[in-house]
Amino acid sequence: MNILSEMAKNLVIWMIVTITMMSAFQSIKYGNDHKITDYSKFISQINHDEIKQTRINGREIRVLKNDFSTYITYIPGYYDVNLIKSLSEHNVRIIGEYDNELSFISMLLSWIPLIFLIGIWGSMLRQIQDGKGNPLSFGKSKARLLKENLNTTLENVAGCDEAKEEVSDLVEYLRNPSKFEKLGGKIPKGVLLVGPPGTGKTLLAKAISGEAKVPFFTISGSDFVEMFVGVGAARVRDMFSQAQKSAPCIIFIDEIDAVGRQRGVGVGGGNDEREQTLNQMLVEMDGFTGNKGIIIIAATNRPDVLDPALLRPGRFDRQVLVGLPDIRGREQILRLHMQRIPLSSDTNPVIIARGTPGFSGADLANLVNEATLLAARANKKLVFMSDLEKAKDKIMMGTERRSLVMTEKQKEVTAYHEAGHTIISFLVPQHDPVHKITIIPRGTALGLTCFLPETDVLTFSKEKLESKISALYGGRVAEEIIYGIHQVSTGCANDIKLATNIARKMVTQWGFSEKLGPLLYDEEGEGFVDKSSVLAKYISEETASIIDQEIQKLIEHNYQRARNILNENIDILHAMKDALLKYETINALQIEDLMARREVRPPKNLDNEKNK
């Protein structure tokens, strides 16, 4: 789009210049040295034999009278068919001239292709030159040098304490290199930051440069590769040449997998542009000519596709894992982002951190921003805990679909379904605490039961997994008890899928079957034995039949357990349904009232009491 807009701009400029010059030429050639007379008066003078000579140029007529005075007149419309006849009858000399208007238009039209070609050529030349005015500048590095405003430090990075500790010696080396060199120590030439998207790899690299107060070159892996062979390698050489002048410094290559993929596996063998660029980068990092004082930091979320030569000692000596933050890390990240917004006294980042397992730093930043937008939309002066909860629910479960019309019957079925999940999860051992229940549709779900883990769960026991299966079937069992087997809805489809998948993994991968023992019968996947897998040929039909029986046994046992629990607490099931129909959303304190068979307290001021 930039190239096309630049071409259009140049074309317009050239056309304006051309029109101006032609207009000036016209005004010089045909200046206003004659007065203009009405055409009717001209016809009258012809009839009275006062005209000696006429020069006709299109609609323009330059008239010479018998007294040698002159004037100009114009034919109305496009043509007067009787004019020539009338002039001939009165012996007026007629001189025809070429139409100047047509001449000007023809000349202008003949110039347009030339102007257009000049504009295209100029745009292509600027693209090749990359705006630097040098025909060979396309081989220059696109790395941007940041010397100032590097205010990001390690204090601005949270949720990755181990990664910060790994890179702290880089900062110390850049500050005081002699401390390491006098003992013969060598700082790693390259550091590879590995982790999922949004975990803060780029932020960590900027923090290293900010702490060390050294120049910081930043470039993306895709900036090296062009359609011209050899350009990428030239840019690598130029980047290291510039960095050597600013040493000690840091070169940060984001998404290095764009240029560092394993060689010999793509199209073109070893002669394509990407591999040429990678070869040059390998030589610059560890070749005959050392680049002392240059530390390369690269980031990727796909280390498995990188070339082995790039990962060997001497190049990227150190790999730093920047993983998803744990509950403590999420709390630190939330506090970091909450520093810039006005908060109410009821906000509790610990609760938000507990309810956001698997969130990255970018996800948590987005959560805080969404809460700020919700508070601003409601014309609040502070961001409250309720805004943070709504933002979390919006990100995790989707926007509330209050416009979706549900009948009273559908609401009642949804309320019984979610109440069944809640009661089972509350009474089975080792299940995560219930945070809240809602029958307000979100996304594709008509209702949701939200859990709040006390800590991040790293491993699961057999008892915890079976409790999860029972809780998943709690919704279907509740519908079956209240409405009968023939009136069970399709709302439990996802619950059945999750429960079956857990049961199959317990039998085929995690060794929780007493009959089959701790053996691997299926590789990691969707939980179903792949007939084309290597393990499939070692599994007999008898073993496959036993696997199915063990899975069915697990499901039936936990399904029956859920039924027994709900039958014993049928009064709580009805009371929880009534509370959901009344309030639409109930939280942990109200659930405790229901499970203790107490009157449900109203939702007013529950957030403040819960935080206390």
Side-chain angles (χ1 to χ4, degrees), residues 389-448:
E389 287 280 359
K390 289 178 182 178
K392 183 194 73 174
D393 294 343
K394 180 181 178 182
I395 293 172
M396 296 182 69
M397 301 176 287
T399 307
E400 290 184 357
R401 299 169 60 197
R402 290 189 176 273
S403 60
L404 181 65
V405 179
M406 293 177 63
T407 64
E408 291 301 319
K409 179 67 174 178
Q410 289 172 330
K411 287 184 179 179
E412 183 182 90
V413 172
T414 304
Y416 273 122
H417 185 99
E418 301 304 328
H421 286 310
T422 304
I423 294 171
I424 300 300
S425 61
F426 199 91
L427 296 176
V428 293
Q430 294 192 28
H431 202 285
D432 294 330
V434 181
H435 182 48
K436 64 180 171 182
I437 324 169
T438 181
I439 58 171
I440 300 173
R442 285 181 178 271
T444 58
L446 298 180
L448 290 164

Side-chain angles (χ1 to χ4, degrees), residues 362-383:
D363 294 328
L364 295 171
N366 183 44
L367 187 152
V368 175
N369 185 62
E370 285 287 346
T372 307
L373 297 178
L374 289 172
R377 195 178 304 162
N379 296 320
K380 298 179 182 179
K381 295 183 179 179
L382 299 174
V383 177

Side-chain angles (χ1 to χ4, degrees), residues 144 146 148-157 167 171 193 200-218 250-252 254 297:
R144 292 174 295 170
L146 306 177
E148 300 177 354
N149 299 324
L150 292 174
N151 299 323
T152 304
T153 63
L154 292 176
E155 292 182 359
N156 303 119
V157 182
V167 300
V171 176
L193 304 179
K201 299 184 290 294
T202 304
L203 181 65
L204 187 60
K206 291 174 68 175
I208 296 171
S209 181
E211 286 279 350
K213 304 298 181 184
V214 296
F216 183 79
F217 289 87
T218 175
I250 292 174
I251 297 177
F252 176 64
D254 200 7
I297 301 176

Side-chain angles (χ1 to χ4, degrees), residues 237-306:
R237 287 191 294 269
D238 185 67
M239 179 182 70
F240 276 90
S241 176
Q242 294 181 31
Q244 192 64 52
K245 297 175 183 178
S246 303
C249 66
I250 292 174
I251 297 177
F252 176 64
I253 306 175
D254 200 7
E255 304 296 343
I256 194 174
D257 51 274
V259 70
R261 287 175 175 266
Q262 187 172 357
R263 292 168 292 179
V265 296
V267 178
N271 294 319
D272 68 307
E273 168 65 1
R274 182 185 58 78
E275 293 195 4
Q276 295 284 352
T277 306
L278 175 59
N279 291 338
Q280 186 63 45
M281 186 176 294
L282 295 175
V283 171
E284 293 291 339
M285 290 186 69
D286 188 23
F288 281 101
T289 58
N291 290 296
K292 187 177 180 181
I294 301 175
I295 296 178
I296 303 172
I297 301 176
T300 182
N301 50 28
R302 300 191 61 193
D304 53 302
V305 302
L306 296 180

Side-chain angles (χ1 to χ4, degrees), residues 166-177 180-181 184-191 248-249 291-296 314-315 317-318:
E166 282 276 334
V167 300
S168 60
D169 56 349
L170 296 179
V171 176
E172 186 67 22
Y173 174 80
L174 291 169
R175 285 178 175 174
N176 186 14
F180 296 86
E181 292 173 353
K186 295 181 180 179
I187 201 69
K189 292 185 178 180
V191 177
C249 66
N291 290 296
K292 187 177 180 181
I294 301 175
I295 296 178
I296 303 172
R315 292 190 177 124
D317 307 76
R318 184 177 298 181

